Amino acid sequence: EKGALANEHARARGEHAKAVEAHARRLEEDHKAHATVLDGARTKMLHQERTAGVLEGTAEALTADAARLREHLGAVEARLNKAEEQRVLESERLRRDLSEATLQATQASAKAEEAERYRREAAARAKSLEEEIAARKQPKCGCSVQ
């Protein structure tokens, strides 16, 4: 009976050793799987942090660029407003100049018409005087002088 018990004990110890060994293998496999999952999660987290850093840098660069563009736009709008004001002033000056030139042309035309009227009157008076002189030179007898 002692031998049977020893055999039973040896068999139980062997089964227990196999169970412990199988359990140790499963623990090792679980540990490796867990380490692989943990390593993958760590790699993924590092990649996400790197991507987040790149995106933050890009966002800061875009924000700075947008501020620079807003400032440039303000300067361009100021120049545009100044140019528009100058255009309006120049347009008003040109209108005044045109009005003045039109007035001067009208006055010059009126003076030219008046001068032409005086010239015609003077020509008519000269012709009348010439006729009067010619009439005085003719003899009173009605004969023509040669």
Side-chain angles (χ1 to χ4, degrees), residues 66-114:
R68 182 187 58 77
L69 289 173
R70 279 188 207 101
E71 186 177 318
H72 181 68
L73 178 62
V76 168
E77 286 176 341
R79 285 196 333 252
L80 176 65
N81 288 339
K82 186 175 181 179
E84 182 65 22
E85 288 171 4
Q86 288 176 346
R87 186 196 63 78
V88 167
L89 290 174
E90 181 68 13
S91 177
E92 289 173 0
R93 186 188 64 77
L94 289 173
R95 280 192 187 109
R96 281 192 310 272
D97 289 352
L98 177 63
S99 179
E100 213 173 281
T102 303
L103 178 63
Q104 288 174 356
T106 303
Q107 289 173 346
S109 176
K111 284 181 182 180
E113 287 175 7
E114 187 177 350

Side-chain angles (χ1 to χ4, degrees), residues 2 4 8 10 18 23 27 32 48 51-52 70 73 98 101 104 116-117 131 135 140:
K2 230 180 182 186
E8 179 65 25
K18 283 182 185 178
H23 186 66
L27 278 176
K32 286 180 182 178
Q48 288 174 341
T51 302
R70 279 188 207 101
L73 178 62
L98 177 63
Q104 288 174 356
E116 178 63 21
R117 187 174 49 90
E131 288 174 357
K140 295 190 182 197

Side-chain angles (χ1 to χ4, degrees), residues 2-143:
K2 230 180 182 186
L5 215 83
N7 279 340
E8 179 65 25
H9 185 50
R11 185 186 62 74
R13 213 180 2 213
E15 285 178 6
H16 180 67
K18 283 182 185 178
V20 167
E21 195 177 297
H23 186 66
R25 267 195 316 268
R26 271 182 282 154
L27 278 176
E28 184 65 28
E29 289 170 1
D30 286 349
H31 179 69
K32 286 180 182 178
H34 180 68
T36 302
V37 168
L38 191 60
D39 194 38
R42 191 175 293 124
T43 302
K44 184 177 179 182
M45 186 177 79
L46 286 173
H47 177 69
Q48 288 174 341
E49 286 181 11
R50 208 175 6 254
T51 302
V54 168
L55 291 175
E56 284 179 23
T58 303
E60 287 178 14
L62 290 174
T63 300
D65 197 34
R68 182 187 58 77
L69 289 173
R70 279 188 207 101
E71 186 177 318
H72 181 68
L73 178 62
V76 168
E77 286 176 341
R79 285 196 333 252
L80 176 65
N81 288 339
K82 186 175 181 179
E84 182 65 22
E85 288 171 4
Q86 288 176 346
R87 186 196 63 78
V88 167
L89 290 174
E90 181 68 13
S91 177
E92 289 173 0
R93 186 188 64 77
L94 289 173
R95 280 192 187 109
R96 281 192 310 272
D97 289 352
L98 177 63
S99 179
E100 213 173 281
T102 303
L103 178 63
Q104 288 174 356
T106 303
Q107 289 173 346
S109 176
K111 284 181 182 180
E113 287 175 7
E114 187 177 350
E116 178 63 21
R117 187 174 49 90
Y118 286 145
R119 187 194 62 75
R120 282 190 216 132
E121 286 176 4
R125 266 191 257 135
K127 185 177 178 183
S128 169
L129 286 175
E130 286 174 4
E131 288 174 357
E132 190 179 315
I133 290 172
R136 282 186 189 167
K137 285 185 180 180
Q138 282 193 356
K140 295 190 182 197
C141 65
C143 58

